[in-house]
Amino acid sequence: MPLVTGVDSSTQSCKVVVRDAETGALVRQGRAPHPDGTEVDPRAWWDALLAAVDAAGGLADVAAVSVAGQQHGMVCLDEAGEVVRPALLWNDTRSADAARDLVEEAGGDGTGRRFWAGATGSVPVASFTATKLRWLARHEPANADRVAAVCLPHDWLTWRLAGAPGLAALRTDRGDASGTGYWSPATGEYRLDLLERAFGRRLRVPAMLGPAEPAGVLDPEVLGGTGPTGVLLGPGTGDNAAAALGVGAGPGDVVVSIGTSGTVFAVADTPAADETGAVAGFADATGRYLPLVCTLNAARVLDAAASLLRVGLDELAELALAAPAGADGLVMVPYLEGERTPNRPLATGSVHGLTLHNATAGHLARAAVEGMLCALADGLDALIAQGARADRVVLVGGGARSAAVRRIAPQVFGCPVVVPPPGEYVADGAARQAAWIALGGAAPPEWPFAETREYAADPVPAVRARYAEARDRTLDRAGG
Ligand SMILES: Nc1ncnc2c1ncn2[C@@H]1O[C@H](COP(=O)(O)OP(=O)(O)O)[C@@H](O)[C@H]1O
Ligand SMILES: O=C(CO)[C@@H](O)[C@H](O)COP(=O)(O)O
């Protein structure tokens, strides 16, 4: 049985799974942490990838490897292929002004938003690579002058696995390219005119691969000179497109991922172009589309609430579940890292409706879970407004391990929520892509998907109504 490897190089860590290409059975896995922060030297991702591969028993016996990665991050390379400066990540908001300018330069009164949604499927916000290029050109001209090529985290890691064989060998895929701001899912073409508009000149970008087109072969030297030969490299993709492959999202499924980011997405047959900017009109990893809403504040809201209350995550969940729905009027608006949807990069979090009665740890824990979920429920509404069907929500990501999130989610989302067993669904999706590469065929292999557990509850609309009252009443970052 051929084995395949899937990698998830995500914000907080690198996760590696090795699966049987034909049956999808998990054979072994490993992980390694990433550094904190919203700007990271890509070489730290490479070191983590090597450590996670090692922890997963190496690549000596695998037929193919695919890398999925956090989207949007700006990896700039010079003519020699060296990294010019640390990558700015998807959750780095310093390019908010650049995003605003790029939209305004394309026209006022909504013209600019319409232009970008029509040209690239999305209205750029600070997360998008194009805005980071504009920031670099404005704020670090010496670094900008050195840049010869720009690529995304998963493009760079795949290229390193191939032995970094020159800039001409950089490859990407539709799923991740659709988050750059200079590639159109609707036409399948780069918009290098928009890259030039952002950066001031054109740069080399990775060549586009089809969903099952290999990016090359693993260079045996990169694993210490004793690596295997003939291991195929998949095109890889963005982490959300990989998660869609990993959970086998079908018609009527909306996937909600609660990781560092909160994402709400569905696989679609036609491209989206939401000029409000709430829904990003991404592509998926199979040749279709992936309309997606992303928030900057998800699992870390729970981390922060747990740390504030000096409890662990399991105790936080117990506290939240013991408190009443709606937390007796206590609302947390969770914009701890600023926010992307809605586009409020300078916003901060806030707590509203505090009384002597609800000033308890349990109420605050409940408000944190509900606030984080309400922001995602707003995203679900936006996705439905773009034509998605939500028969059920498939909940994944580290935050889905919280019993409180699983039980409160159906009350807030107003539809059944199914939760697959805890797992690494992004890495699994990458492994499924690698299996497609290894086995060939018109579609990824049909792996049996894990039994899901369903959580149903009566919707509690009052929770969302109260959140909607509080949502826009926040302070901006001090000094921002
Ligand atoms: N039992 C739990 N309850 C709540 N959050 C959890 C739990 N287990 C893990 N997490 C959170 O999940 C997050 C990591 O999720 P993950 O999907 O791996 O993120 P990313 O892919 O963005 O790196 C961390 O912030 C972690 O605290
Ligand atoms: O920016 C987006 C999607 O547009 C994020 O979803 C990133 O892709 C990071 O994902 P995680 O590391 O949180 O999984």
Side-chain angles (χ1 to χ4, degrees):
M1 294 297 147
L3 299 181
V4 287
T5 294
V7 177
D8 172 14
S9 177
S10 70
T11 312
Q12 295 190 50
S13 59
C14 183
K15 307 142 200 187
V16 170
V17 298
V18 177
R19 287 187 175 268
D20 182 304
E22 278 158 13
T23 67
L26 180 64
V27 177
R28 46 187 206 258
Q29 57 188 320
R31 64 189 295 145
H34 282 164
D36 253 351
T38 62
E39 90 166 31
V40 171
D41 187 329
R43 285 167 289 211
W45 301 330
W46 176 246
D47 292 343
L49 186 149
L50 293 181
V53 161
D54 197 43
L59 299 175
D61 51 356
V62 308
V65 183
S66 276
V67 181
Q70 53 176 309
Q71 295 187 245
H72 311 295
M74 178 185 68
V75 180
C76 288
L77 303 176
D78 68 14
E79 207 53 69
E82 293 300 324
V83 170
V84 170
R85 77 176 312 290
L88 299 188
L89 306 195
W90 62 279
N91 55 353
D92 188 292
T93 53
R94 79 186 75 178
S95 55
D97 288 351
R100 188 202 55 222
D101 291 352
L102 284 170
V103 173
E104 281 178 3
E105 287 163 17
D109 285 339
T111 311
R113 306 169 78 80
R114 269 194 297 286
F115 168 80
W116 282 97
T120 66
S122 307
V123 180
V125 288
S127 294
F128 283 68
T129 325
T131 73
K132 299 178 190 301
L133 284 170
R134 168 63 69 88
W135 179 90
L136 186 69
R138 273 204 193 138
H139 294 271
E140 295 184 353
N143 280 335
D145 281 348
R146 285 181 51 215
V147 180
V150 60
C151 64
L152 296 167
H154 107 261
D155 308 335
W156 184 78
L157 288 167
T158 306
W159 181 73
R160 289 289 312 255
L161 285 170
L167 297 182
L170 283 165
R171 297 288 180 270
T172 193
D173 90 301
R174 296 168 70 251
D176 223 3
S178 56
T180 56
Y182 43 82
W183 186 81
S184 163
T187 65
E189 301 291 337
Y190 272 111
R191 290 290 309 260
L192 295 182
D193 57 321
L194 299 181
L195 190 157
E196 184 173 2
R197 193 185 280 201
F199 190 61
R201 65 185 166 91
R202 296 197 181 199
L203 293 170
R204 187 189 282 277
V205 291
M208 179 62 57
L209 295 171
E213 208 179 329
V217 289
L218 178 73
D219 175 5
E221 296 298 318
V222 301
L223 297 175
T226 56
T229 53
V231 178
L232 292 172
L233 296 173
T237 193
D239 54 1
N240 294 292
L245 263 185
V247 297
D253 287 345
V254 171
V255 181
V256 173
S257 169
I258 301 179
T260 316
S261 64
T263 54
V264 184
F265 55 91
V267 176
D269 290 324
T270 50
D274 177 12
E275 61 191 61
T276 74
V279 176
F282 293 156
D284 85 337
T286 68
R288 290 183 288 169
Y289 303 93
L290 198 78
L292 176 147
V293 176
C294 179
T295 68
L296 296 189
N297 297 286
R300 279 175 166 168
V301 174
L302 308 185
D303 294 340
S307 136
L308 196 66
L309 297 174
R310 296 171 192 257
V311 296
L313 289 166
D314 289 343
E315 204 184 332
L316 183 83
E318 282 165 26
L319 283 167
L321 285 170
D328 289 322
L330 193 71
V331 178
M332 182 185 290
V333 181
Y335 300 159
L336 308 193
E337 293 222 80
E339 192 42 275
R340 159 171 167 183
T341 321
N343 186 16
R344 305 265 320 270
L346 297 179
T348 58
S350 58
V351 174
H352 297 269
L354 196 59
T355 64
L356 279 181
H357 171 68
N358 65 22
T360 73
H363 287 85
L364 192 71
R366 182 92 192 189
V369 174
E370 289 180 344
M372 187 267 291
L373 289 171
C374 280
L376 292 169
D378 287 346
L380 180 59
D381 287 350
L383 206 67
I384 290 169
Q386 285 296 304
R389 205 177 89 213
D391 297 342
R392 59 178 200 165
V393 159
V394 182
L395 196 63
V396 294
R401 294 176 196 249
S402 157
V405 168
R406 295 196 299 263
R407 292 192 183 283
I408 297 171
Q411 296 182 346
V412 175
F413 293 150
C415 67
V417 170
V418 299
V419 189
E424 296 305 339
Y425 292 97
V426 174
D428 289 348
R432 194 165 166 227
Q433 185 196 66
W436 193 4
I437 295 286
L439 302 176
E446 282 304 326
W447 287 355
F449 293 105
E451 289 280 310
T452 54
R453 177 145 177 219
E454 179 164 328
Y455 293 81
D458 289 335
V460 187
V463 173
R464 292 200 58 200
R466 181 87 169 154
Y467 178 82
E469 258 185 73
R471 179 173 52 202
D472 296 326
R473 300 184 188 179
T474 57
L475 295 176
D476 277 354
R477 208 179 296 156

